[in-house]
Amino acid sequence: MAAGRSLSRSERKAAARAEFLRQEEQRERRRQVSRILHKPAAERSPDEAVLLSGSQEIVRDLERLRKKRERLRRRLEEVCDEPEELKKKVTKLSAVVRAAKHLIIYTGAGISTAASIPDYRGPNGVWTMLQKGRSIRAADLSEAEPTLTHMSIACLHKHKLVQHVVSQNCDGLHLRSGLPREALSELHGNMYIEVCTSCTPNREYVRVFDVTERTALHRHHTGRMCHKCGAQLRDTIVHFGEKGTLQQPLNWEAATEAASKADVILCLGSSLKVLKKYPHLWCMSKPPRHRPKLYIVNLQWTPKDDLAALKLHGKCDDVMKLLMDELGFPIPRYERTQDPIFSLAVPLRPEEEGSHSRKPVAPPAGLHEVQLEEQKQISAGPLAGGWFGRGCAKGTKRKKPS
């Protein structure tokens, strides 16, 4: 072909056809090599051995993929320390908790599994199921109550052994355990809180029901209005792919300030795959020797394991029970009559009745008769909408607001 001469249409089609056939031949060769590699070496025929020797680049690529899959599989496995080993580790952790000058706790979904709320990265977690193409079951989070771990954390804060809690959870159980608002940063929101962003400062409405029935990824209006200015209320949930900017309940300012002062960080039930992306929480601007000592409680691998001073492979409730025994503190029982959600809640106005179909948190006997009456009026139909499990699947296209 003469230099500079453009290809004719028929020549371009022929070239494209030849490239397609070449790629198809490569794919078929890759499939053949993969099938051969799955056979024991003793069962491979001479022809198959020749094919492998002539396809070393494909063999190396497939071997790299195999090792990567195996590494990912191992990281998803749940590992439990033997009881005696776990007890020894907790004894070390208790000494650290006593000596810490500024201890903060980072919590993930693993602290709420004892409340029958699925985690995200576990074998049957929300993220794991979605990545496998499986659906997730509807969960009635109104039935959940603070776990032994939630109550232990609130107790440790009361006794000034824990200065701040940074949580990824939206289930509101830290708030309901009695942990003070100023000691809590809920980085991904709280299912019981809706806010008016038109008011300055933002006006907050705590409810006794999940406010996210009508909300979703990039769509946050709850359908109710601010009692003061009449603007639309929105939920506080931060989905995957979103950036949370609300002052409360995210409380980023307090979270970063606590991290800057921390000498010890205790991570409970978090895979840390999201938290690791927030460098301010790990004081990455400080020299390594001046960063907080890291302690991790998780059954699975986390990306911070190599940096941890100690990794405890155990369930959060099991570890916290041992820890509280070592520290000599009885674990408070959750009492519904003391649940702060009932004293903080803003009741619905008459015109707002019927603005949701979520089951409210059942009040203790004799408390808030209005809420009891509201609960009777709500049908027991299937749960719809809500934050739980939304925005988790990678590649989800943004939907235009309706």
Side-chain angles (χ1 to χ4, degrees), residues 7-17:
L7 295 175
S8 67
R9 182 179 179 184
S10 60
E11 288 173 328
R12 289 197 302 271
K13 289 178 68 175
R17 175 66 178 170

Side-chain angles (χ1 to χ4, degrees), residues 283-319:
C283 305
M284 298 307 291
S285 60
K286 293 183 179 181
R289 66 182 181 278
H290 292 148
R291 293 173 192 166
K293 291 289 173 45
L294 180 60
Y295 295 81
I296 299 173
V297 179
N298 204 295
L299 294 171
Q300 295 177 312
W301 171 91
T302 83
K304 293 287 186 180
D305 284 358
D306 292 341
L307 300 176
L310 185 66
K311 172 73 179 290
L312 296 85
H313 296 94
K315 293 182 178 180
C316 293
D317 277 8
D318 294 342
V319 171

Side-chain angles (χ1 to χ4, degrees), residues 49-345:
V50 170
L51 180 60
L52 288 182
S53 64
S55 309
Q56 288 303 303
E57 186 176 345
I58 296 176
V59 170
R60 286 192 294 269
D61 188 37
L62 290 173
E63 184 62 18
R64 281 195 299 269
L65 287 175
R66 184 192 66 78
K67 289 180 179 179
K68 182 180 180 180
R69 284 194 294 267
E70 179 63 21
R71 186 168 63 251
L72 292 174
R73 186 189 64 78
R74 287 197 302 269
R75 287 179 175 182
L76 290 174
E77 288 180 347
E78 292 190 343
V79 178
C80 293
D81 288 328
E82 292 296 326
E84 285 303 314
E85 176 66 15
L86 187 63
K87 193 169 183 178
K88 289 178 183 177
K89 289 183 177 181
V90 172
T91 299
K92 293 179 182 178
L93 178 60
S94 66
V96 172
V97 171
R98 286 194 190 96
K101 296 178 181 177
H102 200 94
L103 168 64
I104 59 177
I105 294 180
Y106 295 170
T107 65
I111 74 165
S112 295
T113 53
S116 299
I117 299 176
D119 59 15
Y120 278 84
R121 310 272 181 176
N124 297 307
V126 174
W127 180 275
T128 306
M129 292 294 101
L130 290 175
Q131 291 298 94
K132 291 179 178 179
R134 301 179 187 174
S135 59
I136 56 173
R137 63 177 176 82
D140 185 359
L141 274 62
S142 68
E143 301 289 346
E145 294 182 348
T147 66
L148 181 151
T149 296
H150 289 97
M151 301 306 296
S152 298
I153 292 172
C155 177
L156 292 177
H157 177 267
K158 180 180 178 181
H159 287 88
K160 303 186 185 308
L161 291 178
V162 171
Q163 276 63 51
H164 200 79
V165 176
V166 178
S167 180
Q168 296 171 262
N169 299 339
C170 305
D171 53 34
L173 294 181
H174 277 304
L175 176 65
R176 296 179 57 195
S177 72
L179 189 67
R181 299 295 303 279
E182 64 273 11
L184 175 62
S185 295
E186 295 175 294
L187 301 185
H188 298 153
N190 185 315
M191 61 181 274
Y192 294 111
I193 298 176
E194 52 189 347
V195 298
C196 174
T197 54
S198 296
C199 288
T200 304
N202 294 167
R203 184 172 292 271
E204 190 175 274
Y205 295 80
V206 177
R207 308 293 193 183
V208 293
F209 56 87
D210 181 356
V211 304
T212 69
E213 181 178 1
R214 302 181 184 182
T215 68
L217 181 67
H218 305 303
R219 195 171 67 247
H220 292 277
H221 288 145
T222 63
R224 285 171 290 277
M225 305 297 178
C226 177
H227 295 180
K228 182 179 181 181
C229 72
Q232 292 192 71
L233 298 180
R234 58 154 292 168
D235 70 9
T236 62
I237 305 301
V238 181
H239 295 279
F240 286 95
E242 295 180 338
K243 184 177 181 180
T245 57
L246 294 173
Q247 184 174 356
Q248 285 287 353
L250 312 186
N251 204 8
W252 268 106
E253 184 177 350
T256 53
E257 182 182 356
S260 69
K261 296 177 180 178
D263 59 338
V264 175
I265 296 175
L266 174 59
C267 299
L268 297 172
S270 172
S271 70
L272 301 180
K273 291 179 180 178
V274 174
L275 282 183
K276 74 171 184 178
K277 298 177 182 178
Y278 304 138
H280 293 302
L281 295 182
W282 307 100
C283 305
M284 298 307 291
S285 60
K286 293 183 179 181
R289 66 182 181 278
H290 292 148
R291 293 173 192 166
K293 291 289 173 45
L294 180 60
Y295 295 81
I296 299 173
V297 179
N298 204 295
L299 294 171
Q300 295 177 312
W301 171 91
T302 83
K304 293 287 186 180
D305 284 358
D306 292 341
L307 300 176
L310 185 66
K311 172 73 179 290
L312 296 85
H313 296 94
K315 293 182 178 180
C316 293
D317 277 8
D318 294 342
V319 171
M320 291 306 292
K321 185 177 187 308
L322 291 171
L323 178 62
M324 296 296 278
D325 286 345
E326 286 281 342
L327 295 173
F329 293 125
I331 300 171
R333 288 185 60 185
Y334 167 73
E335 297 290 347
R336 193 169 289 259
T337 55
Q338 302 299 317
D339 194 323
I341 197 170
F342 298 113
S343 58
L344 293 171

